[in-house]
């Protein structure tokens, strides 16, 4: 149980939270929401002991184990699976102890290590770390790759996996879905729903919050209010709370006016002085309920394209990639017409960004043909677009570079529509938050008046209000849209057709996002085989003497053999571990040495067999 009593938190000169009184019970999954700067990350810092309360108390269980996602990943030569496994320090230490004991042929130390592994449930530690990596999108062949060889986004995933590996009573996740693809987000949701500790998660993904949380903690104007239910429940309860607050305020104001009128009329009359005095006391005791302050709704728009031809852009039988040794997509055919709204689905690394870059023209097709209309004008938001903004300059400077001949007032009016009003247009972007920089990057794209928008993860760093505004603006856009996003709410509102990029192919997905998520949960290796199979569109029946069996996605005999091999090796390894755990066996040093070598050999074979099985599952 976590208790806040008259809790206040200040960062520098700003008072972020004050007079917070609430209790979070064990096992709750709490979504922490609020606008940028409301104090969400600072609250996490207080829970981890990094920030002292400015006032009041924060009580945590005495021996609570807290896990969180590190903000930075060290430049380590360690294999990825070892880095994740080190999140469970007890298991990692026991495995290291065992390895050292075998290396030194210290059989007594081997026995101690085995006993310790049994106590900390460490025999399946490597397998658990492998499942976490697999679920977060790391194919089996990169589990042994050095941490330092991964890019920034993939290192964030490694930090998430390490936090999930850490035994904890309280798990703190700050925007865990950033840098994840939709496949990994769906997997993470299922994992978190099975987590038996207390979860606090900061997220701007409303579908994720709806699927994971049991409570919502809303930070707003220095206050923190707890709501039961998921994000949709919170929206309904908050709307009702604000409605009742406004009704109470209006009634109170009417009573105030009535009392004040009586006092003004009769306070000077001796015969009514006592009644006037009584009403003055009542007036002073009125609660003073505040009126509901309407928050300024964020509204943005993409101007109408200068020209909008029907057939805009197409790929015909294209091989796409980065060279002969890095061919990602094979025989890709893809077309865009005015009004198309296409969402790209598939795991990271499958080629979604490669397809987008080929459509943009940043990558030339290795084979095949890319056809573009002469009036094609592309607005491209890539994952690196925010970093390309020039430090030390203002939003107005960026817009002036695009259109040096326009009057200052025209440029400032445009920036005002994207919530950079007044002097904000002259502020240096170095002080902007990630969400403000992303909004500026989108504004620069909109100013060019494109007829095709190619958006690769545009929602990273955007808060809920900005995501809603972006969804509304994209829904009103007349041109074509291709979007890659892990935000199902946004992609579901904007897109009306989906293409799946996986296995080197680009092909239409016949279904909606709910069906795609259900399909992800039911495919082999999903860790959730009991989820109902998604409904499918009825197929056209072709008359035949006997109906043909559906084509298998993988060879079932090969899969069965791989599973049997893993089970057989696990059985042999368990027998070997049981013998080594018996103190009587250490009377014969030669037998112990043979068992130790057998154990190492079996583990090596098991790791290879598991890697092959994971490859088949993928």
């Amino acid at each position: 149980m976590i208790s806040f009593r008259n809790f206040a938190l200040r960062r520098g000169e700003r008072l972020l939270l004050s007079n917070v009184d609430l209790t979070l019970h064990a096992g709750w999954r709490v979504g922490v929401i609020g606008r940028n700067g409301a104090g969400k990350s600072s609250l996490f810092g207080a829970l981890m002991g990094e920030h002292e309360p400015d006032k009041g108390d924060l009580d945590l269980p005495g021996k609570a184990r807290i896990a969180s996602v590190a903000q930075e990943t060290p430049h380590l030569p360690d294999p990825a699976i070892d880095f994740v496994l080190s999140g469970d320090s007890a298991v990692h230490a026991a495995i290291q102890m065992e390895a050292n004991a075998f290396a030194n042929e210290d059989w007594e130390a081997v026995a101690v290590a085995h006993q310790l592994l049994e106590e900390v449930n460490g025999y399946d530690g490597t397998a658990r770390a492998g499942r976490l990596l697999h679920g977060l999108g790391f194919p089996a062949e990169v589990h042994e790759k050095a941490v330092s060889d991964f890019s920034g986004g993939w290192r964030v995933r490694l930090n998430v996996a390490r936090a999930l590996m850490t035994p904890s009573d309280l798990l703190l996740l700050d925007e865990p879905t950033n840098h994840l693809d939709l496949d990994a987000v769906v997997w993470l949701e299922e994992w978190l729903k099975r987590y038996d500790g207390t979860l606090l998660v900061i997220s701007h993904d409303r579908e994720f919050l709806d699927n994971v949380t049991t409570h919502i903690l809303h930070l707003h104007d220095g206050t923190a209010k707890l709501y039961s239910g998921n994000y949709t429940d919170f929206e309904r309860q908050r709307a009702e709370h604000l409605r009742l607050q406004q009704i109470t305020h209006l009634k109170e104001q009417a009573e105030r006016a009535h009392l004040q009128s009586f006092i003004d009329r009769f306070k000077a009359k001796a015969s009514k002085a006592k009644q006037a005095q009584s009403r003055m006391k009542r007036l002073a005791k009125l609660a003073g309920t505040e009126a509901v302050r309407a928050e300024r709704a964020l509204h943005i728009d993409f101007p109408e394209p200068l020209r909008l031809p029907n057939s805009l852009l197409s790929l015909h039988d294209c091989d796409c990639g980065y060279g002969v040794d890095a061919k990602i997509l094979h025989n890709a055919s893809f077309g865009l017409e005015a009004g198309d709204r296409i969402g790209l689905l598939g795991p990271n690394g499958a080629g979604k960004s490669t397809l987008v870059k080929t459509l943009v023209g940043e990558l030339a097709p290795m084979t095949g043909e890319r056809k573009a209309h002469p009036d094609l004008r592309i607005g491209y938001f890539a994952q690196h677009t925010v970093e390309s903004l020039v430090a030390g300059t203002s939003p107005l400077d960026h817009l002036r570079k695009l259109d040096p001949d326009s009057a200052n007032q025209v440029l400032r009016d445009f920036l005002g529509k994207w919530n950079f009003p007044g002097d904000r247009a002259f502020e240096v972007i170095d002080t902007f938050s990630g969400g403000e920089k992303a909004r500026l990057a989108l504004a620069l794209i909109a100013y060019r008046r494109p007829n095709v928008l190619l958006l690769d993860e545009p929602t990273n760093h955007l808060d809920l209000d900005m995501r809603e505004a972006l969804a509304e603006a994209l829904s009103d856009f007349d041109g074509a849209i291709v979007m890659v996003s892990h935000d199902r709410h946004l992609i579901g509102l904007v897109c009306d057709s989906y293409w799946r990029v996986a296995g080197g192919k680009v092909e239409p997905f016949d279904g909606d996002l709910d069906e795609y998520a259900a399909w992800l949960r039911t495919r082999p290796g999903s860790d959730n085989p009991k989820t109902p199979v998604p409904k499918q569109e009825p197929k056209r029946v072709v008359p035949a003497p006997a109906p043909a069996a559906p084509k298998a996605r993988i060879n079932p005999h090969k899969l069965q053999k791989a599973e049997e091999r893993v089970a057989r090796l696990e059985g042999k390894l368990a027998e070997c571990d049981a013998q080594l755990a018996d103190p009587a066996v250490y009377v014969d040093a030669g037998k112990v040495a043979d068992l130790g070598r057998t154990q190492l050999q079996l583990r090596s074979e098991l790791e290879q067999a598991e890697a092959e099985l994971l490859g088949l599952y993928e």
Side-chain angles (χ1 to χ4, degrees), residues 1-301:
M1 191 168 69
I2 303 169
S3 296
F4 298 86
R5 295 196 303 273
N6 197 27
F7 177 84
L9 187 63
R10 186 185 297 273
R11 292 302 307 275
E13 297 296 320
R14 289 185 60 210
L15 183 62
L16 298 176
L17 297 169
S18 62
N19 300 321
V20 176
D21 286 286
L22 55 90
T23 300
L24 307 178
H25 292 276
W28 284 5
R29 299 193 299 271
V30 183
V32 182
I33 65 171
R35 287 192 166 181
N36 291 337
K40 302 183 295 294
S41 297
S42 297
L43 180 65
F44 274 23
L47 287 166
M48 290 187 288
E50 297 172 357
H51 308 315
E52 288 292 326
D54 188 61
K55 180 183 174 184
D57 298 303
L58 167 57
D59 292 337
L60 287 164
K63 296 183 179 179
R65 299 169 299 172
I66 302 177
S68 64
V69 179
Q71 297 301 309
E72 300 291 336
T73 310
H75 196 74
L76 297 173
D78 304 22
I81 196 163
D82 286 355
F83 176 74
V84 174
L85 184 60
S86 67
D88 192 333
S89 55
V91 170
H92 189 252
I95 290 175
Q96 291 294 322
M97 181 189 297
E98 181 194 45
N100 293 336
F102 272 121
N104 298 327
E105 297 189 353
D106 184 345
W107 310 120
E108 186 175 342
V110 169
V112 173
H114 285 162
Q115 183 178 355
L116 183 57
L117 279 168
E118 187 73 32
E119 291 174 357
V120 299
N121 192 27
Y123 283 112
D124 68 340
T126 302
R128 284 190 286 128
R131 285 196 295 271
L132 289 172
L133 285 171
H134 177 67
L136 289 171
F138 293 86
E141 59 267 20
V142 304
H143 288 191
E144 298 294 332
K145 184 178 175 182
V147 172
S148 57
D149 292 341
F150 288 96
S151 64
W154 286 98
R155 288 197 206 177
V156 172
R157 292 190 186 211
L158 286 175
N159 283 340
V160 173
R162 194 170 188 269
L164 301 185
M165 187 72 189
T166 304
S168 61
D169 306 300
L170 173 61
L171 178 60
L172 306 176
L173 299 179
D174 190 345
E175 291 289 359
T177 60
N178 281 358
H179 305 287
L180 297 186
D181 54 53
L182 183 54
D183 298 40
V185 170
V186 171
W187 177 88
L188 180 61
E189 287 176 358
E190 296 302 315
W191 194 97
L192 292 175
K193 284 191 280 190
R194 297 193 299 270
Y195 176 67
D196 56 7
T198 305
L199 169 70
L200 268 70
V201 56
I202 298 171
S203 179
H204 293 129
D205 185 335
R206 60 183 298 152
E207 290 284 337
F208 178 79
L209 291 170
D210 269 349
N211 292 332
V212 169
T213 59
T214 60
H215 295 76
I216 295 292
L217 182 60
H218 182 219
L219 309 189
H220 177 68
D221 277 353
T223 65
K225 185 173 176 60
L226 187 66
Y227 295 81
S228 295
N230 59 21
Y231 185 81
T232 299
D233 297 327
F234 153 75
E235 282 196 316
R236 185 178 61 252
Q237 293 173 53
R238 177 163 166 77
E240 180 63 14
H241 169 75
L242 293 176
R243 186 181 73 84
L244 293 176
Q245 178 181 330
Q246 186 64 13
I247 290 172
T248 302
H249 170 75
L250 294 174
K251 285 183 177 179
E252 190 177 282
Q253 290 303 107
E255 186 176 0
R256 280 181 179 277
H258 178 70
L259 292 173
Q260 190 64 52
S261 174
F262 185 93
I263 293 167
D264 292 342
R265 287 175 59 197
F266 298 113
K267 64 182 179 181
K269 290 189 177 183
S271 61
K272 297 286 186 179
K274 190 174 289 186
Q275 291 94 322
Q277 192 69 25
S278 173
R279 282 162 174 74
M280 289 173 68
K281 290 179 181 179
R282 280 178 58 190
L283 184 61
K285 290 181 179 180
L286 284 177
T289 305
E290 288 188 9
V292 174
R293 288 178 292 171
E295 296 182 356
R296 181 175 179 262
L298 185 59
H299 178 74
I300 58 177
D301 69 89

